[in-house]
Amino acid sequence: MSASQSPSRALALGCVADDYTGASDLANTLTKAGLRTVQTIGVPADDLVLPEVDAVVVALKSRSVAPGEAVARSREADAWLRRRGANHVLFKVCSTFDSTDAGNIGPVLDALRADAAEPIALVTPAFPETGRSVCQGHLFVGATLLAESPLKDHPLNPMRDSNLVRVLARQSAGTVGLVDIATVAKGPEAVAARLDALAADGHGAAIADAIFESDLEILGRAALGHRVSCGASGLGLGLARALVADGRGAPAADAMAGEPVGGHAACLAGSCSQATLAQIEAAAAHMAVLHLDIEKLMAGPAEREATLAWAASRLADGPVLIASSAAPDAVRALQAKHGVAAVGHAVEAALAQLAADLFARGVRRLVVAGGETSGAVVDHLGLKAFLLGPEIAAGVPVLRTAGGDPMLLALKSGNFGGRDFFLRALDLMR
Ligand SMILES: Nc1ncnc2c1ncn2[C@@H]1O[C@H](COP(=O)(O)OP(=O)(O)OP(=O)(O)O)[C@@H](O)[C@H]1O
Ligand SMILES: O=C(O)[C@@H](O)C(=O)CO
């Protein structure tokens, strides 16, 4: 990571994100709102020298691991951020609240709250820019209730209950209350008073309604009165705007100011979301696309090796896209035959290995679709920290690796981006 010229101030905001794409989504939001932000991969070393920043987003791959492991990693990240002076830590989860009854949102939040000695934490995944809103504790994806949206078919954590008070209560040690939209509309003091009342009643968390960015500004201000909160980029926006109003933040250095990185370009898609499936279809008009045969992939290395040979022979002519993505029926059939975890891990491992092989063949611009997939790829490439570049689509920035041989990446959350996402990303990655 590039060295700082001046000793860093205490962080205005610390963030622990439960996946890598979610972390870059949040880092993008904080940057746009005026906080200079760096995203690290995993908990950084204690002696990490940062440029002058206001916020650090520590990206973990903890959304779909065992709860104990998620808790341990998140506590470590939280402790690092507190040592860097962060008074408030936002636990960034998915705007569609991706989790199961076992966790990991509840267990991690319980632990962070205990470590911060906070009686209650405000929780909201609302993110109006991408159509996520919460009303009477129910999460909507656009105009559709969460449990009726495509998220009901998510390969790892199908979301079948839209009532987040219930969802969070099932995975938390404590009980969960609601800060409803009527209270939010009254302003930060009313929200703070409601949180105090819920805490006095013994609730450890409160789902907060939010529909518009103005609601999130109110919630961000109220959340800053506590040491920990939980939400998606919308709450990040609210916290950042409150901090900037308090005098923190400054324009970020242009992460793309250096030489263009050049090199070959490739896209890897492991997300099976409706959005990604449509984006892959649209990309086929502009680049060579290969759909992996998952049965063959699971049978041995031949499918991956053949894919690499296919890609290597085309890279000089332009970008290639390799996708494991499949429609819900096909995903379910594979999962029924091999097991959810076995297919997921086999696909992630194959795409991560392909990323490394493509890097070895000169790829320096890489677009990855899917949070778990991005986690596997970034870990396998051994990348440690990112600076923020321009926004490709809501929630997806261009990332530039900090230090070493520069590389540009876009880590796309499954549901984000328009149909032309892959082309648009590569246009901004030079
Ligand atoms: N054809 C397939 N059949 C079964 N599982 C698949 C297939 N292709 C990919 N997968 C697995 O599905 C999971 C997709 O999760 P991932 O987080 O990458 O995407 P996403 O859930 O759409 O994105 P996000 O978490 O950002 O919303 C991964 O574990 C991946 O390996
Ligand atoms: O909040 C979101 O929707 C994304 O940042 C994400 O975490 C999806 O994996």
Side-chain angles (χ1 to χ4, degrees):
M1 167 126 244
S2 57
S4 146
Q5 303 310 313
S6 54
S8 296
R9 282 171 82 185
L11 290 177
L13 182 65
C15 306
V16 180
D18 69 352
D19 83 344
Y20 296 2
T21 51
S24 64
D25 163 19
L26 176 62
N28 179 53
T29 298
L30 299 180
T31 305
K32 280 200 302 177
L35 296 183
R36 293 162 297 177
T37 304
V38 159
Q39 172 182 348
T40 70
I41 299 299
V43 183
D46 258 331
D47 59 357
L48 173 75
V49 181
L50 291 173
E52 191 65 30
V53 289
D54 306 298
V56 172
V57 181
V58 177
L60 301 179
K61 197 171 185 288
S62 57
R63 188 174 291 174
S64 304
V65 301
E69 202 182 331
V71 167
R73 283 196 219 157
S74 307
R75 291 185 68 206
E76 238 184 284
D78 179 75
W80 187 92
L81 292 161
R82 303 282 182 195
R83 285 198 294 279
R84 292 290 171 123
N87 183 53
H88 187 90
V89 170
L90 167 64
F91 172 36
K92 160 71 175 68
V93 299
C94 190
S95 64
T96 47
F97 220 68
D98 294 17
S99 54
T100 68
D101 288 352
N104 288 331
I105 300 177
V108 170
L109 187 59
D110 287 344
L112 298 188
R113 196 167 57 74
D115 287 351
E118 273 289 351
I120 192 160
L122 184 149
V123 181
T124 186
F127 186 18
E129 206 183 341
T130 56
R132 276 51 154 172
S133 57
V134 182
C135 193
Q136 300 303 335
H138 288 67
L139 177 56
F140 288 82
V141 177
T144 309
L145 277 165
L146 175 68
E148 293 164 23
S149 78
L151 273 298
K152 70 182 187 317
D153 296 319
H154 190 280
L156 304 179
N157 38 254
M159 300 305 291
R160 303 265 161 91
D161 186 354
S162 309
N163 182 331
L164 299 186
V165 175
R166 279 197 307 245
V167 171
L168 186 58
R170 282 199 293 271
Q171 47 183 285
S172 303
T175 55
V176 180
L178 174 68
V179 181
D180 70 2
I181 194 73
T183 308
V184 178
K186 289 184 188 143
E189 294 78 18
V191 173
R194 175 73 179 149
L195 286 174
D196 288 346
L198 289 170
D201 283 348
H203 296 298
I207 298 292
D209 286 350
I211 297 169
F212 302 111
E213 287 190 358
S214 51
D215 300 326
L216 289 153
E217 287 174 357
I218 290 167
L219 294 177
R221 171 60 72 195
L224 277 185
H226 295 255
R227 281 168 58 73
V228 63
S229 61
C230 172
S233 273
L235 186 56
L237 174 119
L239 288 162
R241 287 199 180 154
L243 288 163
V244 168
D246 291 346
R248 291 302 307 255
D254 182 358
M256 312 305 270
E259 290 291 301
V261 302
H264 297 315
C267 307
L268 297 172
S271 161
C272 299
S273 71
Q274 266 185 12
T276 304
L277 293 173
Q279 289 156 355
I280 295 168
E281 199 184 307
H286 305 280
M287 60 191 85
V289 176
L290 182 141
H291 292 271
L292 287 164
D293 181 325
I294 310 299
E295 286 291 6
K296 283 193 192 155
L297 195 70
M298 297 205 56
E303 173 73 357
R304 182 171 47 74
E305 286 163 5
T307 302
L308 180 62
W310 172 89
S313 68
R314 283 168 176 79
L315 285 172
D317 300 328
V320 297
L321 190 162
I322 298 166
S324 70
S325 319
D329 284 352
V331 170
R332 271 194 291 272
L334 277 160
Q335 289 178 331
K337 184 164 171 200
H338 300 284
V340 175
V343 190
H345 290 152
V347 172
E348 287 169 32
L351 290 173
Q353 185 58 48
L354 280 166
D357 292 338
L358 290 170
F359 181 83
R361 280 159 185 75
V363 168
R364 291 295 179 273
R365 292 172 292 140
L366 185 63
V367 183
V368 189
E372 295 297 322
T373 309
S374 296
V377 165
V378 167
D379 280 350
H380 203 70
L381 292 175
L383 306 175
K384 295 287 177 245
F386 298 125
L387 307 174
L388 275 288
E391 180 177 83
I392 303 162
V396 197
V398 176
L399 300 170
R400 188 184 182 102
T401 50
D405 188 4
M407 190 175 177
L408 298 183
L409 288 102
L411 308 179
K412 187 190 84 77
S413 294
N415 297 300
F416 286 177
R419 271 184 70 82
D420 62 347
F421 177 81
F422 288 108
L423 192 62
R424 194 173 149 66
L426 292 172
D427 269 352
L428 289 170
M429 297 163 73
R430 298 283 169 189

